[in-house]
Amino acid sequence: MKHPSVPLPRIGMRVIKTAVAVMVSYALFLPFGLTYREELGGVLGQMGPLYACIACIICTQSSLGQTFYQGISRLIGVLVGGALGTATLLLGPALEHFWLKTIVLGMVCVAGVWLCLLIKRPTACGMACILPCVILITGVTGVTRYYYAVARIIETIVGLLVALAVNAALPDHRPESERGGMDMTVEVKNSTRKLCVIGDPVGHSKSPLIQNTMIKALGLDYVYLCQPVPRGQCKAWLDCAKFADYAGFNATMPHKEELVPLMDELDEDARLIGAVNTVCIRDGKAYGYNTDGEGFLRSLADEGIDPAGKRVMVLGAGGASKAVCLKLAQAGAEVVVCNRTLDKAQTICNHDPDHLRPTGFTPEELAREAEQCDLLVNCTSLGMEGASGQFADFSFLDSLAKSAPVVDLIYAPAETELLRQARKRGHRTANGLGLLVNQAVLSLEYFTGTAIDAADMKKRIADVL
Ligand code: NAP
């Protein structure tokens, strides 16, 4: 007879990091003794490893970011609880009365929790309660009580720092899909409006992380989710989103074109590019926008690049390239679109033949075009993390004028081989983070009607990606 197999719990990085942090904390405090050694005198005499180890267990998470977030909250809890506990010691001998101590303990816990909630740090509540209890429920008396309290606070803070250091030193081996939990925590209320990204597949999308980071930073009452929608099902999804009272959604591959005829109104860029990446639902009507092209122009402006009157060489003729080329042409640039499949470059150029010209992707063609251009933009997937392709050679960069900036739409890795080669040759370079942030900021502005500081968001998003 076959026995059902019982899955064993996985020993992951969080468990290993916690064990290492506990060992380090224990070793750090061992010289002070396991039990309190009054002969050392003062605070040192009260030191021991227990609370540092407890702090490590509570605070160590899978990533440095999460531990930092937990650590800050717990540190606030330690400070609130430590201050309340130490202040309560001022009641002196009165605390030896059983009922008074019981009532004081209850009141201190209520005060600790209330203060933490007041400053919107619910995860600090535990420490804010535990520490006064640790300080008050002890046999030590007289001035030693204060040493005891200070020792507990120091141990807990050292434990937090050890947890952070261990996280910084040890790698985060979790799969990409499990990372980035820290900034996905958004307060959800009954009034919270829903947003999401749709795609097929969409599980890898960074949009929920980016949008929830911005929503949290701006204190907006929205939550941003990830919604798989199979190819060809946009109409069904749109009805569903309207019924479920979504404020809007973003669309990624393969839905951007399919959404166009489903919109009640289209903005100028969505019409120009023939693709919708942002849908706002207002009074049951769907308004379609495209923020990719404008996001790209804004990212150029952030780098101090004005495409007007420039000769721009765009590599690639996929969806991203179309938005980039049409907006560059609209901004007054002369664009040559270099693509492996010439027909696709030709199709883009047919939209604005006065400003757009197609060509192939051979090393000779790339070198010839590079010679005459003032700005190079890579819109191919060559060099992207997880994608197999790479440029066959970078000799075309030798033909490029030193003054020509090189921009890559790819943001992972932060520096592609193309950007590295260009930087080595003395060119100014920029990756795709600017576009990623600017198009997301524009979308959130459409969804919420709130003006957003894109520079501030770029720093925050770079931290969480
Ligand atoms: P896409 O529609 O699949 O287009 C891919 C392009 O890359 C096509 O022009 C394709 O040429 C070319 N290509 C792929 N492999 C090649 C190879 N081995 N040799 C030569 N050319 C090759 O993709 P997309 O949506 O336009 O995205 C393109 C890149 O931009 C991706 O890396 C994406 O991550 C990035 N992107 C970044 C942002 C951002 O926010 N920063 C936004 C959108 C896109 P063919 O036409 O000949 O197949």
Side-chain angles (χ1 to χ4, degrees):
M1 196 173 102
K2 242 182 155 185
H3 292 283
S5 58
V6 181
L8 290 172
R10 193 167 61 94
I11 298 181
M13 274 316 275
R14 182 170 170 185
V15 176
I16 294 168
K17 286 178 181 187
T18 306
V20 173
V22 165
M23 288 191 292
V24 172
S25 292
Y26 180 77
L28 274 179
F29 282 95
L30 205 57
F32 299 102
L34 281 181
T35 51
Y36 309 124
R37 289 168 58 191
E38 304 258 343
E39 73 273 18
L40 287 177
V43 175
L44 289 186
Q46 298 298 321
M47 288 284 198
L50 186 59
Y51 291 91
C53 294
I54 291 174
C56 287
I57 294 164
I58 293 175
C59 293
T60 305
Q61 303 287 319
S62 304
S63 74
L64 182 61
Q66 288 171 324
T67 306
F68 189 73
Y69 182 73
Q70 295 284 354
I72 295 284
S73 279
R74 304 272 147 76
L75 186 63
I76 290 171
V78 169
L79 297 177
V80 169
L84 285 173
T86 314
T88 315
L89 287 178
L90 296 173
L91 289 173
L95 276 178
E96 278 153 38
H97 187 280
F98 173 78
W99 284 113
L100 185 64
K101 191 169 188 160
T102 310
I103 290 166
V104 166
L105 275 172
M107 285 170 61
V108 165
C109 286
V110 170
V113 170
W114 184 77
L115 280 172
C116 293
L117 293 181
L118 189 70
I119 54 174
K120 296 200 173 356
R121 287 282 180 173
T123 44
C125 292
M127 282 293 187
C129 290
I130 292 168
L131 215 71
C133 294
V134 168
I135 290 170
L136 293 175
I137 307 172
T138 165
V140 270
T141 51
V143 72
T144 314
R145 288 176 309 171
Y146 294 98
Y147 298 147
Y148 179 87
V150 174
R152 297 298 76 79
I153 295 169
I154 292 174
E155 286 163 17
T156 315
I157 291 174
V158 170
L160 290 176
L161 295 178
V162 168
L164 278 173
V166 167
N167 252 301
L170 296 182
D172 181 1
H173 280 310
R174 288 169 305 151
E176 183 75 10
S177 56
E178 285 178 22
R179 296 189 191 179
M182 165 187 130
D183 291 279
M184 300 283 271
T185 49
V186 176
E187 197 182 333
V188 177
K189 298 181 281 217
N190 284 1
S191 57
T192 302
R193 303 293 318 275
K194 295 182 288 293
L195 297 166
C196 71
V197 57
I198 65 164
D200 180 18
V202 73
H204 63 284
S205 173
K206 299 269 189 227
S207 293
L209 178 61
I210 292 170
Q211 294 286 356
N212 285 321
T213 300
M214 296 199 287
I215 286 167
K216 195 169 163 185
L218 297 163
L220 298 169
D221 191 13
Y222 287 83
V223 63
Y224 193 101
L225 310 164
C226 180
Q227 178 63 53
V229 171
R231 187 184 283 268
Q233 294 295 315
C234 280
K235 171 82 178 77
W237 160 252
L238 190 60
D239 291 342
C240 196
K242 286 179 181 174
F243 181 77
D245 198 26
Y246 269 72
F249 57 90
N250 287 118
T252 183
M253 289 282 288
H255 300 317
K256 292 184 183 186
E257 283 85 18
E258 191 188 330
L259 281 168
V260 173
L262 301 176
M263 296 296 104
D264 293 299
E265 277 185 37
L266 277 180
D267 92 323
E268 224 178 272
D269 276 5
R271 214 183 292 275
L272 173 78
I273 297 163
V276 164
N277 76 334
T278 304
V279 177
C280 294
I281 300 173
R282 300 185 197 111
D283 301 324
K285 283 192 166 177
Y287 297 81
Y289 303 87
N290 190 305
T291 64
D292 287 334
E294 184 57 29
F296 174 71
L297 288 188
R298 288 194 184 189
S299 71
L300 286 188
D302 291 345
E303 298 294 327
I305 302 169
D306 178 4
K310 295 233 165 52
R311 292 165 303 177
V312 186
M313 178 174 171
V314 172
L315 309 179
S321 169
K322 187 178 179 190
V324 164
C325 291
L326 295 182
K327 285 302 279 185
L328 280 171
Q330 198 186 54
E334 273 187 34
V335 184
V336 57
V337 188
C338 313
N339 199 46
R340 184 178 58 176
T341 314
L342 190 60
D343 282 359
K344 283 169 74 180
Q346 181 67 61
T347 307
I348 292 181
C349 296
N350 288 344
H351 288 273
D352 190 349
D354 290 343
H355 294 96
L356 304 171
R357 174 169 62 84
T359 189
F361 204 78
T362 63
E364 299 73 36
E365 284 166 312
L366 294 182
R368 189 189 66 222
E369 297 300 340
E371 227 168 68
Q372 313 166 34
C373 89
D374 311 307
L375 169 65
L376 173 71
V377 184
N378 177 38
C379 298
T380 72
S381 46
L382 295 175
M384 187 171 79
E385 204 169 75
S388 50
Q390 185 53 273
F391 286 87
D393 76 273
F394 292 95
S395 57
F396 66 96
L397 288 175
D398 298 327
S399 312
L400 198 62
K402 284 282 167 288
S403 56
V406 176
V407 178
D408 202 327
L409 293 203
I410 295 170
Y411 56 86
E415 187 176 54
T416 55
E417 189 56 26
L418 173 72
L419 292 187
R420 201 177 74 81
Q421 294 284 344
R423 181 172 54 78
K424 266 174 52 189
R425 288 168 169 82
H427 294 277
R428 252 178 68 208
T429 61
N431 69 10
L433 184 66
L435 163 58
L436 184 73
V437 173
N438 277 299
Q439 58 84 18
V441 163
L442 275 167
S443 290
L444 194 58
E445 285 183 338
Y446 284 132
F447 291 142
T448 64
T450 308
I452 300 171
D453 176 356
D456 178 35
M457 290 306 138
K458 194 171 173 183
K459 276 187 235 134
R460 291 173 188 269
I461 291 166
D463 281 349
V464 298
L465 281 179

